[in-house]
Amino acid sequence: MLALREVSKSFGAVRALRGVSLDLAPGEAHALAGENGAGKSTLVKILSGVHRPDEGALLLDGEPVEFHGPADARAAGVAVIYQEPALFPDLSVAENVFMGRHPRRSFGRVDRRAMRTRALDLFSRLGVPLDPARPARGLSIADQQLVEIAKALSRDARVLVMDEPTAALSGPEVERLFGVARSLRDQGRAVLFVSHRLDEMFALCERVTTLRDGAVVATDVLADITPDDLVRRMVGRDLAALFPKQPTVPGEVALKVDRLTREGVFTDVSFEVRAGEIVALAGLVGAGRSEVARAVFGVDRRDAGSVHVAGRPLRAGSPTEAMAAGVALVPEDRRQQGLVMDLSIERNIGLTTLKWGLLSRAAERARATDWAIRLQVRYAGLTDAVTVLSGGNQQKVVLAKWLARKPRVLIVDEPTRGIDVGTKAEVHRLLSELAAEGLAVLMISSELPEVLGMADRVLVMHEGRLVADLPRAEATEERVVAAATGRPA
Amino acid sequence: MRVDRWETLVVALLAAVTVAASLGVDGFANGSNVAFLLLDVTEIALMALTMTLVIVAAEIDLSVASTLGLCCAVLGRLWTAGLPIEAIMPICLVTGALAGALNGLLVTRLGLPSLAVTIGTFALYRGLAYVILGDQAVADLPPAYTGLATQSLGPIPLLTLLVVVLAVAAGILLHATGLGRAVTALGANEEAAYFAGIRVKRIKFWLFVASGTMAGLAALVFTFRYASARADNGVGLELAVVAAVLLGGVSIFGGRGTLAGVVAAVLLLAVVRNALILADVANEVLNFVTGLLLVASVLAPNLKVRLERKPVQ
């Protein structure tokens, strides 16, 4: 029905999709599997008309089509149900369903009665009891998704793309959604189901296409494979010997997190990081890893639990105090949280060591120069704004800014995201060296090879809870992925 | 540090206008006119110093002139009640500080935008001034102080020396101390500053207190200079202050600006105004020219930034 042929898409130097082909057949539910960053989102965005492929073609019923925007995709019968739909909260459910295509009476007046009966009809076809007259505000996410599905039905969509729809749903809600999806499939529509949850793919879909590093690894009939096969297809990469983790003898406990809880975000998270250790925090995007780091560092509040640094309790909610205790956080969003883009390299590096009184420009420059040399930052001048640097060099400036404080505990959140391979290796070498010098490193990473290559210990989070604590020897790809996707190892 | 082209332009323009006025306008280039010009700009200059810090921190304080009015009203009221002026003066400064503290609390504790907050307190403080003093004018102020306010040291008014000292202090604070660096950083990117351990809210709070206190000081200067304490003292000055700061090259979005640029802009506006008045130019034209300069000042630096800044994805 809808097919991709040899589709490639790049963003700058990053090749998000490479020669991807995919066939969606009528009356079939097709799963799309892959790790974070494998290219699933890009593929969905191409199907929904948000992105256009650089190469390759989209075929609709065998004919090449071009989507110049989401409206074209919609007109061609492709509907996308997102994890968190965007409804108009103050309009009624029925008005949301018919948004932009309200049934009309004379003089262009909206025919509310027709709208209501047609909405009721749609919901009864879906088998869900939703009142079309109620406002969309206050609907559960599951119900909002059903409104989106009703919208797609009303438009007679033939291809339904569900982008991680179950991430925020409870068990019974997932069942109900699957019931709806199955009935749509049985009516001859094509369903593409994007998810991290392997059990759900097996429950709903007939075939699965696995992406890895932007390319299709395999398309399998799910009945013929096991979840373990699928995991292997998702992760089966060579673990490059790129990761020069030096063996170290762990020292004293530098960071102790005890039953840390932030309501609705993460629960009862406890772990320790010793001096000289690199501990990785793995898990899927949205599992609550960055949020734990932010609460430890004090930029977010915490509802319960405690944090100790070198045996001393750390007060909640104050990054300034966390820094005084020797904690440093290299945040996830380099441009927004890590750097002041308008300021120069040396001033960004100097930002963490500001005192209130007079600044010594010479001292500031000397310190910036030291760190820039040690981290091999490539720059034209220290007074250049950090905007002119490449992503990798910007990340080095963020690292320099924190290392200038000589921290005891270094938390790095996705330290190599979006930077080139060469710089990546330099960052890895640096982290390894720092650990060897006695720094305690907590590394959040969504890249499995990085996690497995660098870490002395791997913690895995799943849906806000710490579900595994694996020593290096026991941390295999399969076990980490299994824990991250919530399956028993 | 690279000299910002806009600030150089302001200084050049100031020099050009001064030279042109000296040559072309009768009565511009004599000592008493220059002294008058300098004296006349004292309150604006004082409040522009703290306003620079506030705007670099990506906030704004539109209540400064109303705070000035409130402090004048308090001064007039206490003076008619018979308090000694030496006791009133610190009370006046404290009143300004409290007014600033209320702004600061509303902005930092409740997370309200300072534009909205200070438009509110702009009306609130002025209203309070009328409640305290009504529309009466308190004029029988001690000659020792009213005299001092117009005194000169040689050709230079005493108050100008006060402005110079405070301007140098503010310049050092903004450009050469860690606190100033923190203000710049949090104005450019509040989130990154917070992640770097800068106490964003605390600093912003104290900037508003400083702005209010400076308005209190400006109230003293205003009252003694005109020998008159009234509730409507300084009406409309907040716009002149913000105008000077923006003309001086401070970005309305925060994070960039220099004190030297602001001082040059304060002088530029004053010189243009003074020269046009001496040249008997109609008041309407005068406002037109000032407005033109302002539009240019807001347009030019932002245009420049927009051209230089690469689109951020």
Side-chain angles (χ1 to χ4, degrees), chain A residues 328-380:
Chain A
L329 171 67
V330 172
E332 186 179 12
D333 185 340
R334 187 158 58 226
R335 304 175 70 92
Q336 187 55 34
Q337 301 164 341
L339 293 169
V340 179
M341 298 304 280
D342 283 343
L343 290 187
S344 66
I345 298 168
E346 58 182 0
R347 291 191 177 186
N348 267 290
I349 293 177
L351 220 47
T352 53
T353 45
L354 285 178
K355 305 237 166 33
W356 280 56
L358 285 178
L359 294 169
S360 157
R361 293 247 161 105
E364 187 178 59
R365 170 147 311 170
R367 191 167 43 219
T369 312
D370 283 353
W371 282 106
I373 289 172
R374 167 145 190 211
L375 302 192
Q376 300 170 15
V377 181
R378 279 173 279 277
Y379 58 89

Side-chain angles (χ1 to χ4, degrees), chain A residues 294 297-299 319-320 323 329 331 335-337 339-340 342 347 351 354-359 361 364 402, chain B residues 1 172 175-179 181-182 184-185 188-189 191-199 203 256 309 312:
Chain A
R294 293 169 60 114
F297 188 63
V299 288
T320 320
M323 285 166 63
L329 171 67
R335 304 175 70 92
Q336 187 55 34
Q337 301 164 341
L339 293 169
V340 179
D342 283 343
R347 291 191 177 186
L351 220 47
L354 285 178
K355 305 237 166 33
W356 280 56
L358 285 178
L359 294 169
R361 293 247 161 105
E364 187 178 59
W402 284 108
Chain B
M1 196 180 77
I172 290 173
H175 300 300
T177 67
L179 178 59
R181 188 65 57 74
T184 312
N189 183 344
E191 196 177 1
Y194 184 57
F195 270 80
I198 291 169
R199 296 183 196 265
I203 290 177
R256 55 173 82 196
R309 188 174 287 174
V312 176

Side-chain angles (χ1 to χ4, degrees), chain B residues 32-47 68 72 75 85 89 138-139 141-152 157-160 162-163 216-230 233-234 237 270 274:
Chain B
S32 67
N33 183 57
V34 171
F36 168 77
L37 187 159
L38 290 174
L39 202 56
D40 204 37
V41 84
T42 310
E43 296 85 10
I44 293 176
L46 286 175
M47 292 190 285
L68 184 151
C72 288
L75 187 151
I85 197 73
M89 284 171 23
V138 178
L141 295 160
Y145 286 94
T146 53
L148 196 66
T150 49
Q151 202 90 64
S152 286
L158 276 182
L159 286 175
T160 300
L162 175 71
V163 172
L217 180 64
L220 294 177
V221 170
F222 196 107
T223 307
F224 291 140
R225 217 155 61 76
Y226 292 98
S228 168
R230 292 170 53 100
N233 278 7
L237 277 192
N274 179 276

Side-chain angles (χ1 to χ4, degrees), chain A residues 177-199:
Chain A
L177 181 70
F178 281 11
V180 169
R182 284 193 195 100
S183 76
L184 293 176
R185 176 193 66 191
D186 297 342
Q187 291 163 20
R189 295 169 214 270
V191 175
L192 180 68
F193 180 69
V194 184
S195 177
H196 277 301
R197 298 185 183 171
L198 306 181
D199 49 339

Side-chain angles (χ1 to χ4, degrees), chain B residues 77-268:
Chain B
R77 179 88 203 157
L78 294 178
W79 177 249
T80 46
L83 244 69
I85 197 73
E86 288 77 12
I88 296 174
M89 284 171 23
I91 293 177
C92 211
L93 295 180
V94 169
T95 305
L98 288 176
L102 178 63
N103 287 334
L105 281 178
L106 290 173
V107 170
T108 59
R109 291 297 139 204
L110 300 185
L112 303 171
S114 55
L115 184 68
V117 165
T118 60
I119 284 177
T121 54
F122 159 86
L124 181 74
Y125 297 158
R126 185 66 73 181
L128 200 56
Y130 280 107
V131 169
I132 290 172
L133 201 59
D135 51 10
Q136 114 192 62
V138 178
D140 57 339
L141 295 160
Y145 286 94
T146 53
L148 196 66
T150 49
Q151 202 90 64
S152 286
L153 191 73
I156 301 167
L158 276 182
L159 286 175
T160 300
L161 293 178
L162 175 71
V163 172
V164 169
V165 169
L166 289 176
V168 169
I172 290 173
L173 180 78
L174 179 59
H175 300 300
T177 67
L179 178 59
R181 188 65 57 74
V183 168
T184 312
L186 75 87
N189 183 344
E190 184 172 333
E191 196 177 1
Y194 184 57
F195 270 80
I198 291 169
R199 296 183 196 265
V200 172
K201 290 190 169 176
R202 190 176 299 187
I203 290 177
K204 281 190 177 178
F205 172 78
W206 286 106
L207 286 180
F208 279 103
V209 172
S211 178
T213 312
M214 193 62 102
L217 180 64
L220 294 177
V221 170
F222 196 107
T223 307
F224 291 140
R225 217 155 61 76
Y226 292 98
S228 168
R230 292 170 53 100
D232 67 353
N233 278 7
V235 165
L237 277 192
E238 67 281 326
L239 292 183
V241 171
V242 172
V245 172
L246 296 186
L247 180 62
V250 175
S251 163
I252 189 79
F253 303 112
R256 55 173 82 196
T258 63
L259 227 102
V262 171
V263 170
V266 168
L267 287 175
L268 175 61

Side-chain angles (χ1 to χ4, degrees), chain A residues 84-144:
Chain A
E84 291 189 24
L87 298 180
F88 295 94
D90 294 313
L91 298 183
S92 74
V93 164
E95 281 171 314
N96 268 292
V97 169
F98 294 103
M99 180 46 63
R101 299 162 300 110
H102 295 125
R104 295 289 162 84
R105 292 199 290 162
S106 54
F107 305 112
R109 290 173 299 164
V110 172
D111 188 343
R112 292 186 183 281
R113 191 174 304 161
M115 199 159 75
R116 186 181 157 76
T117 44
R118 280 167 59 183
L120 270 176
D121 175 51
L122 286 171
F123 288 129
S124 70
R125 269 162 67 195
L126 289 172
V128 289
L130 261 181
D131 175 10
R134 65 156 292 169
R137 188 183 296 284
L139 284 180
S140 70
I141 285 180
D143 286 341
Q144 292 180 35

Side-chain angles (χ1 to χ4, degrees), chain A residues 149-353:
Chain A
I149 292 177
K151 200 194 272 187
L153 270 186
S154 77
R155 236 191 268 116
D156 221 23
R158 302 192 299 151
V159 179
L160 202 62
V161 179
M162 301 167 84
D163 191 3
E164 300 197 33
T166 58
L169 303 194
S170 67
E173 289 173 333
V174 171
E175 271 315 305
R176 190 177 58 166
L177 181 70
F178 281 11
V180 169
R182 284 193 195 100
S183 76
L184 293 176
R185 176 193 66 191
D186 297 342
Q187 291 163 20
R189 295 169 214 270
V191 175
L192 180 68
F193 180 69
V194 184
S195 177
H196 277 301
R197 298 185 183 171
L198 306 181
D199 49 339
E200 292 179 357
M201 297 183 190
F202 280 91
L204 180 66
C205 303
E206 285 82 43
R207 287 195 301 161
V208 58
T209 293
T210 310
L211 291 179
R212 190 199 307 150
D213 297 335
V216 172
V217 180
T219 297
D220 300 285
V221 174
L222 276 161
D224 297 344
I225 61 170
T226 64
D228 286 337
D229 292 334
L230 193 49
V231 167
R232 216 162 292 132
R233 288 192 187 11
M234 284 163 65
V235 300
R237 259 179 293 202
D238 291 338
L239 272 194
L242 264 171
F243 305 99
K245 175 68 182 95
Q246 302 166 4
T248 49
V249 183
E252 297 291 300
V253 173
L255 175 69
K256 181 175 162 60
V257 173
D258 195 31
R259 303 187 68 93
L260 197 66
T261 297
R262 190 165 174 215
E263 256 145 60
V265 186
F266 54 84
T267 312
D268 264 354
V269 173
S270 305
F271 61 89
E272 293 177 353
V273 184
R274 292 172 175 275
E277 229 184 358
I278 297 182
V279 174
L281 191 50
L284 302 175
V285 168
R289 298 168 299 159
S290 299
E291 289 76 6
V292 168
R294 293 169 60 114
V296 168
F297 188 63
V299 288
D300 285 348
R301 64 187 168 77
R302 58 194 196 222
D303 293 324
S306 64
V307 176
H308 286 77
V309 177
R312 300 164 72 102
L314 191 63
R315 200 165 65 91
S318 170
T320 320
E321 290 199 15
M323 285 166 63
V327 185
L329 171 67
V330 172
E332 186 179 12
D333 185 340
R334 187 158 58 226
R335 304 175 70 92
Q336 187 55 34
Q337 301 164 341
L339 293 169
V340 179
M341 298 304 280
D342 283 343
L343 290 187
S344 66
I345 298 168
E346 58 182 0
R347 291 191 177 186
N348 267 290
I349 293 177
L351 220 47
T352 53
T353 45

